[in-house]
């Protein structure tokens, strides 16, 4: 339409054709505006559904996971994954994905049209694409592990705040305010340094992408200008070509902005799916039976138990608690009294041996 407006409408003094070309351009702008509205609403609705499902899945999973998982997890870290990481995934599954697809389609179609219009100019404008792809891939490889570390450090900060809020009375009782302030500052300094490293990485890669992308515009303008002077190309064709190049550079710039977000979102997705893929240490067997306690006789048969790497909390425990019988567990702190009690409702499973109620192995019945 631009070529038609310049070569025919302006070049041949045909006002009707110029008017038609301008109306055509206005019509395309209106259509683009309407489609952009539906695109924005549609992608946002889809991404919000993804975030909604992920939050529900995380809450369900965290609720179902065993005590052994919560023993090793920090509340602040789980909070960071459920809020910050899910929000980044939401952006990735909405606008980011659509922008990537849109950019790919624009690059492919625009490249095809340019080569069809003028093969030499078209190929000249595409010479920089391999360099752009190489820089983008290298940037992603460097930025992704750094993004993961930044998110993990943010979890450390969140955990530190959560612990200080929950333990404010203890901190004040033992006059540890200054110590806690310094601990938080040290963690915050580390997060700041990592964030600045990511900024430097982006600040190096993005201008380089723009520079390389604009080199093709300069080359086409120079060579195309020579063709126009030699009357091998019309002015309208050259302007149309430079407009196509602007359409080609746009997706490259978009990819430059989106790539860091995609990389950070991928790191966030790894952190979220670490939780979702965790298999509970205490799980229900597929053929688990319903169970009703009748007498209430509890027996430990050669039971041993330890928390994670700490083995030997309980070792070869044997006893039976008859109905209406009182059993006393005596021993110092850490000797395993609470551990014995925690094994009965199956908060944990013994590493060896069997716990039974009314002669039934509790691992074979429904968890509820």
């Amino acid at each position: 339409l631009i070529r038609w407006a310049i070569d025919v409408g302006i070049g041949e003094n045909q006002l009707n054709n110029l008017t038609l070309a301008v109306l055509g351009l206005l019509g395309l702008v209106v259509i683009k505006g309407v489609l952009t509205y539906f695109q924005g609403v549609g992608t946002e609705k889809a991404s919000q559904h993804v975030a909604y499902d992920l939050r529900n899945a995380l809450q369900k999973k965290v609720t179902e996971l065993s005590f052994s998982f919560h023993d090793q997890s920090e509340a602040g870290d789980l909070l960071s994954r459920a809020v910050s990481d899910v929000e980044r995934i939401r952006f990735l599954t909405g606008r980011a994905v659509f922008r990537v697809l849109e950019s790919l389609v624009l690059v492919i179609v625009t490249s095809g049209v340019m080569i069809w219009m003028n093969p030499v100019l078209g190929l000249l404008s595409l010479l920089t694409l391999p360099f752009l792809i190489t820089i983008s891939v290298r940037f992603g490889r460097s930025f992704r592990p750094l993004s993961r570390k930044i998110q993990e450090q943010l979890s450390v900060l969140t955990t530190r705040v959560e612990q200080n809020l929950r333990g404010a009375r203890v901190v004040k009782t033992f006059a540890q305010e200054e110590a806690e302030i310094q601990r938080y500052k040290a963690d915050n300094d580390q997060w700041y340094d990592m964030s600045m490293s990511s900024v430097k990485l982006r600040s190096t890669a993005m201008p380089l992408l723009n520079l390389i992308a604009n080199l093709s515009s300069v080359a086409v303008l120079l060579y195309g200008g020579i063709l126009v002077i030699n009357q091998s190309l019309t002015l309208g064709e050259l302007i149309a070509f430079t407009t196509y190049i602007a359409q080609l550079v746009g997706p490259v710039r978009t990819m430059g902005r989106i790539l860091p977000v995609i990389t950070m979102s991928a790191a966030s997705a790894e952190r979220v799916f670490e939780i979702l893929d965790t298999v509970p240490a205490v799980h229900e067997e597929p053929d688990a039976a319903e169970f009703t306690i009748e007498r209430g006789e509890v027996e430990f048969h050669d039971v041993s138990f330890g928390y994670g790497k700490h083995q030997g909390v309980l070792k070869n425990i044997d006893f039976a608690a008859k109905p209406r019988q009182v059993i006393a567990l005596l021993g110092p702190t850490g000797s395993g009294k609470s551990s014995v009690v925690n094994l009965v409702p199956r908060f944990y499973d013994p590493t060896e041996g069997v716990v039974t109620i009314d002669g039934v192995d509790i691992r074979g019945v429904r968890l509820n």
Side-chain angles (χ1 to χ4, degrees):
L1 285 170
I2 290 172
R3 181 178 61 177
W4 183 31
I6 293 170
D7 286 344
V8 179
I10 297 173
E12 299 178 11
N13 298 319
Q14 296 183 15
L15 183 59
N16 288 338
N17 281 321
L18 176 62
T19 304
L20 286 173
V22 170
L23 288 174
L25 288 169
L26 284 172
L28 284 177
V29 169
V30 171
I31 292 170
K32 182 180 180 180
V34 173
L35 292 177
T36 301
Y37 166 78
F38 286 108
Q39 169 198 317
V41 173
T43 53
E44 188 64 23
K45 185 178 180 181
S47 64
Q48 289 290 357
H49 273 295
V50 169
Y52 172 82
D53 290 341
L54 270 179
R55 283 192 290 265
N56 283 339
L58 274 171
Q59 171 64 19
K60 182 174 182 290
K61 188 70 176 186
V62 169
T63 304
E64 291 174 346
L65 285 169
S66 316
F67 275 51
S68 57
F69 171 82
H70 293 285
D71 290 341
Q72 300 170 23
S73 301
E74 297 286 356
D77 177 56
L78 295 177
L79 187 64
S80 175
R81 297 188 194 216
V83 178
S84 176
D85 288 326
V86 168
E87 184 60 21
R88 283 184 171 171
I89 295 171
R90 183 194 68 77
F91 181 78
L92 172 67
T93 54
R95 295 179 186 177
V97 168
F98 197 90
R99 290 283 180 239
V100 169
L101 292 173
E102 183 183 49
S103 298
L104 287 173
V105 170
L106 272 174
V107 167
I108 292 168
V109 175
T110 302
S111 301
V113 172
M114 290 167 72
I115 292 172
W116 171 73
M117 282 180 62
N118 190 305
V120 177
L121 271 181
L123 292 172
L124 184 64
S125 61
L126 297 176
L127 280 177
T128 57
L129 273 181
F131 298 101
L132 294 171
I133 293 169
T134 302
I135 292 170
S136 299
V137 169
R138 287 183 177 177
F139 171 77
R141 284 176 180 170
S142 303
F143 198 75
R144 184 169 177 172
L146 181 58
S147 297
R148 166 119 195 184
K149 289 178 181 177
I150 290 171
Q151 284 300 97
E152 288 172 351
Q153 188 61 24
L154 183 60
S155 296
V156 171
L157 280 176
T158 309
T159 299
R160 185 72 69 188
V161 172
E162 183 265 338
Q163 288 176 342
N164 275 283
L165 291 173
R166 189 172 55 183
R169 185 181 297 274
V170 176
V171 171
K172 289 185 178 297
T173 301
F174 290 94
Q176 291 298 299
E177 293 93 338
E178 187 58 34
E180 289 302 318
I181 290 170
Q182 291 304 318
R183 286 193 190 98
Y184 184 83
K185 184 179 180 302
D187 291 333
N188 201 18
D189 287 343
Q190 197 170 346
W191 184 78
Y192 174 82
D193 291 339
M194 289 179 181
S195 299
M196 288 307 299
S197 296
S198 76
V199 168
K200 289 175 183 176
L201 201 57
R202 276 184 289 182
S203 299
T204 303
M206 296 311 113
L208 190 57
L209 285 172
N210 282 326
L211 173 64
I212 293 174
N214 286 316
L215 284 176
S216 61
S217 302
V218 175
V220 167
L221 189 60
L222 175 63
Y223 183 66
I226 293 171
L227 292 179
V228 171
I229 292 170
N230 294 332
Q231 297 184 341
S232 300
L233 193 73
T234 67
L235 183 61
E237 285 176 327
L238 177 61
I239 294 175
F241 223 91
T242 54
T243 308
Y244 273 123
I245 288 179
Q247 191 166 288
L248 196 64
V249 172
V252 172
R253 288 176 176 165
T254 300
M255 290 295 288
R257 291 194 302 270
I258 293 294
L259 267 176
V261 179
I262 291 175
T263 306
M264 294 170 79
S265 301
S268 293
E270 287 177 0
R271 284 164 46 80
V272 168
F273 280 93
E274 271 183 1
I275 306 296
L276 295 179
D277 293 338
T278 300
V279 178
V282 176
H283 59 275
E284 191 174 278
E285 297 296 334
D287 57 348
E290 289 289 351
F291 179 65
T292 302
I293 297 175
E294 295 178 356
R295 302 188 312 279
E297 182 175 351
V298 177
E299 291 184 82
F300 276 52
H301 301 278
D302 200 26
V303 170
S304 297
F305 174 71
Y307 295 96
K309 297 178 181 178
H310 305 289
Q311 299 298 325
V313 177
L314 300 174
K315 189 173 181 181
N316 305 122
I317 302 296
D318 276 291
F319 72 86
K322 305 292 183 183
R324 302 181 182 276
Q325 183 181 17
V326 176
I327 300 292
L329 302 176
L330 305 179
T333 301
S335 60
K337 303 183 298 296
S338 299
S339 299
V340 169
V341 177
N342 286 335
L343 291 175
V344 177
R346 211 182 165 203
F347 291 158
Y348 302 88
D349 277 337
T351 50
E352 294 178 14
V354 177
V355 178
T356 64
I357 299 177
D358 293 340
V360 177
D361 186 345
I362 60 174
R363 288 175 295 192
V365 302
R366 298 287 299 275
L367 277 172
N368 64 342

